[in-house]
Amino acid sequence: MTYAQSGRTPTSRRNFVKGLGAAGAVLPALAALPRWSFAEDRAATYADANIDWKQFAGQTITLAGAIHPWSNAITPLLPEFTRLTGISVTIDFQLETTYLGALPIRLARGSTTPDVFMFTTYGQGISGGWLEPLNGYYSNRSLTDLGWYDENDLLKTARLPAVV
């Protein structure tokens, strides 16, 4: 899952894209964590991170994906993400065959949405310019607290170099 640039922001595109990078890193991590971690102490868990969670408050992003166990797992967590960050999330989940056929067409046409999306063909996404490495976001201390965030929460295939 990653993002495409969005032109719907009152802040600079660069700052908003940085926020999307953070969202792209945090959303999958939320889904990967075991359910018990979302008990009463979850707000304290996020408060421990040295991040200004509200730096992009007031923005809206569109999250697209296939109707899939992942989308079923992430949907109940989106209100928590909005409370934490102040970023509203509009979901666009479709039947898998519809989604997988439509997404490359939307991205190839230069659509500014979705901002964050489920993606499976990394080589196509990289060569098409639809994906970018998150390394720069991890090294930006205003977006990621490496002492708190564990990159290993991301799927191994999403962390491996893609073959284009």
Side-chain angles (χ1 to χ4, degrees):
M1 181 171 108
T2 187
Y3 63 88
Q5 293 181 342
S6 173
R8 299 177 285 136
T9 67
T11 60
S12 75
R13 181 180 291 254
R14 181 174 300 281
N15 285 339
F16 186 64
V17 168
K18 287 179 183 177
L20 292 179
V26 171
L27 282 172
L30 289 176
L33 294 173
R35 282 283 177 204
W36 57 262
S37 70
F38 290 98
E40 295 174 7
D41 66 339
R42 64 184 160 211
T45 300
Y46 295 115
D48 289 344
N50 187 21
I51 300 171
D52 176 6
W53 291 108
K54 299 285 186 181
Q55 63 187 301
F56 299 99
Q59 304 296 324
T60 299
I61 59 174
T62 299
L63 170 63
I67 297 170
H68 177 276
W70 181 86
S71 58
N72 293 338
I74 198 80
T75 299
L77 304 175
L78 295 177
E80 175 103 15
F81 175 80
T82 297
R83 280 190 299 276
L84 177 67
T85 64
I87 300 171
S88 298
V89 180
T90 302
I91 58 171
D92 180 13
F93 295 141
Q94 302 171 354
L95 293 173
E96 190 167 4
T97 54
T98 303
Y99 174 73
L100 293 176
L103 182 67
I105 294 168
R106 287 169 71 182
L107 296 175
R109 288 183 178 165
S111 177
T112 59
T113 58
D115 303 297
V116 179
F117 51 91
M118 174 190 285
F119 204 72
T120 58
T121 53
Y122 297 114
Q124 179 188 20
I126 291 169
S127 65
W130 308 327
L131 306 174
E132 89 175 75
L134 296 177
N135 304 43
Y137 302 104
Y138 294 134
S139 64
N140 183 332
R141 291 185 181 178
S142 71
L143 300 174
T144 307
D145 177 358
L146 292 178
W148 173 83
Y149 185 77
D150 185 356
E151 186 179 350
N152 290 320
D153 285 340
L154 297 175
L155 294 172
K156 184 177 181 181
T157 56
R159 292 183 280 121
L160 294 175
V163 176
V164 181

